[in-house]
């Protein structure tokens, strides 16, 4: 059986939201990773949070902003877009990190 975790409509971070949803699910059933389906918008939120975390951990978050579309340089106005593969990879890293708690 598949369990869908839908878009995060709260102000909670996507990471915290998915973690809470899985905790609630775990209270009721036993699940495996392949049982969980994450909404595409929520995947994008998780990937973006993961990219923000990586840049902040490496102290590389000044003079640009990160969003789901890409990296925006504040001073020059240049923009680097994320590839679908990059976003998928970052989502998978974040999701695996969440699942490691269970």
């Amino acid at each position: 059986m598949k369990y869908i975790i839908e878009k995060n409509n709260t102000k909670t971070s996507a990471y915290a939201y998915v973690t809470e949803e899985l905790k609630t699910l775990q209270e009721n059933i036993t699940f495996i990773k392949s049982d969980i389906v994450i909404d595409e918008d929520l995947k994008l939120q998780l990937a973006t949070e993961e990219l923000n975390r990586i840049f902040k951990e490496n102290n590389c978050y000044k003079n640009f902003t990160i969003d789901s579309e890409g990296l925006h340089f504040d001073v020059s106005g240049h923009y680097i877009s994320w590839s679908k593969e990059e976003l998928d990879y970052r989502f998978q890293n974040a999701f695996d990190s969440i699942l490691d708690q269970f």
Side-chain angles (χ1 to χ4, degrees):
M1 181 178 271
K2 298 289 183 185
Y3 303 95
I4 300 172
I5 299 179
E6 296 181 323
K7 186 176 179 186
N8 177 12
N9 291 321
T10 67
K11 299 213 186 252
T12 306
S13 76
Y15 189 92
Y17 177 76
V18 171
T19 301
E20 285 303 311
E21 289 292 311
L22 290 176
K23 281 181 185 174
T24 302
L25 187 59
Q26 186 181 34
E27 290 173 0
N28 298 308
I29 61 155
T30 302
F31 63 86
I32 57 174
K33 181 180 178 179
S34 61
D35 292 340
I36 307 301
V37 177
I38 304 291
D39 176 74
E40 288 301 315
D41 288 338
L42 190 52
K43 282 183 180 181
L44 194 57
Q45 285 179 319
L46 271 172
T48 304
E49 283 183 20
E50 179 69 2
L51 286 160
N52 269 310
R53 182 194 64 76
I54 291 167
F55 278 89
K56 285 182 180 176
E57 272 185 9
N58 291 294
N59 202 23
C60 299
Y61 58 92
K62 297 176 181 138
N63 298 322
F64 60 83
T65 54
I66 295 174
D67 63 21
S68 62
E69 299 297 319
L71 187 68
H72 303 270
F73 292 90
D74 298 335
V75 177
S76 67
H78 289 91
Y79 165 77
I80 300 171
S81 62
W82 307 122
S83 68
K84 178 171 178 10
E85 292 78 17
E86 178 71 23
L87 290 170
D88 289 344
Y89 180 76
R90 297 306 171 188
F91 159 73
Q92 200 58 56
N93 283 352
F95 189 57
D96 289 345
S97 172
I98 292 169
L99 286 175
D100 285 347
Q101 300 174 40
F102 296 93

